[in-house]
Amino acid sequence: MQIKKLPYAELKNAYRTVKLFVEEQTGGEIYSLRDDIEKQLEIAGDDTAELLGKFITTFGLTANGFDFERHFYSEGELFSSGPALTNIFVLLIKVSLWFIEVLSFKQIKFKHKPEWYRPSDREVIGLTYKQMLVWYLEKDFKKVDNTSYRLVIADD
């Protein structure tokens, strides 16, 4: 593994740029480097594909080695009749919990909310915000495990 020098200011700028872009495109919020972006942003399927397409074109990135199907479920897998019925039930619960939180002026907060149903026929590995940040910095999709940076205050 090669360790690359990265000025702190460049990392800070990259973090802010990618975070702002992703949040503006999805209306969601990034709050962790390590969690899956679909869970954080509450997106799936075509929404995820559209976000990554815009991410690649906006920042002039390449996607060599990135396989969407390895990272995410397709729209059909997520929203066929079985998952759709389950997710309708989950949606009702999520809306009910949100409504209770709003009516209580956030005095009542539910820490554990139901997750959207994901098909289990095949495993997907997802994509973290950290992976997107490395993608942005490297200009091509790289495995995070193979990428390491040493932060520097000024160029050595």
Side-chain angles (χ1 to χ4, degrees):
M1 173 187 326
Q2 180 184 6
I3 299 174
K4 299 177 181 181
K5 290 181 182 180
L6 180 68
Y8 172 75
E10 185 178 332
L11 176 62
K12 183 178 176 182
N13 182 52
Y15 181 91
R16 286 181 175 169
T17 301
V18 176
K19 186 176 191 299
L20 182 64
F21 172 81
V22 169
E23 290 177 347
E24 283 181 350
Q25 292 298 314
T26 63
E29 185 176 348
I30 295 290
Y31 51 86
S32 169
L33 283 170
R34 293 189 176 103
D35 289 342
D36 184 82
I37 60 164
E38 283 191 321
K39 288 180 183 174
Q40 288 187 72
L41 301 168
E42 296 186 354
I43 61 173
D46 290 345
D47 294 334
T48 305
E50 185 178 326
L51 171 66
L52 292 179
K54 286 181 181 177
F55 178 65
I56 291 166
T57 56
T58 299
F59 298 113
L61 309 176
T62 57
N64 299 324
F66 182 78
D67 180 7
F68 187 86
E69 288 189 11
R70 187 165 181 255
H71 289 269
F72 304 107
Y73 293 112
S74 70
E75 195 89 3
E77 289 173 296
L78 292 171
F79 302 110
S80 63
S81 60
L85 290 174
T86 304
N87 282 331
I88 287 172
F89 182 68
V90 169
L91 178 64
L92 291 171
I93 293 171
K94 281 182 171 266
V95 168
S96 299
L97 295 177
W98 172 81
F99 196 62
I100 290 169
E101 287 179 348
V102 169
L103 287 177
S104 72
F105 298 103
K106 301 288 183 176
Q107 296 297 316
I108 299 172
K109 284 193 146 203
F110 297 99
K111 291 183 181 181
H112 303 288
K113 296 178 183 171
E115 294 289 327
W116 298 110
Y117 171 79
R118 304 281 189 208
S120 59
D121 327 19
R122 65 183 180 89
E123 291 293 319
V124 294
I125 57 177
L127 185 72
T128 65
Y129 179 67
K130 182 178 180 180
Q131 288 171 309
M132 288 186 74
L133 192 55
V134 169
W135 195 347
Y136 174 84
L137 290 167
E138 296 295 320
K139 303 299 181 209
D140 192 11
F141 181 76
K142 307 278 185 204
K143 290 185 178 181
V144 172
D145 299 344
N146 299 339
T147 308
S148 185
Y149 299 105
R150 182 170 70 96
L151 293 179
V152 292
I153 301 304
D155 286 332
D156 300 350

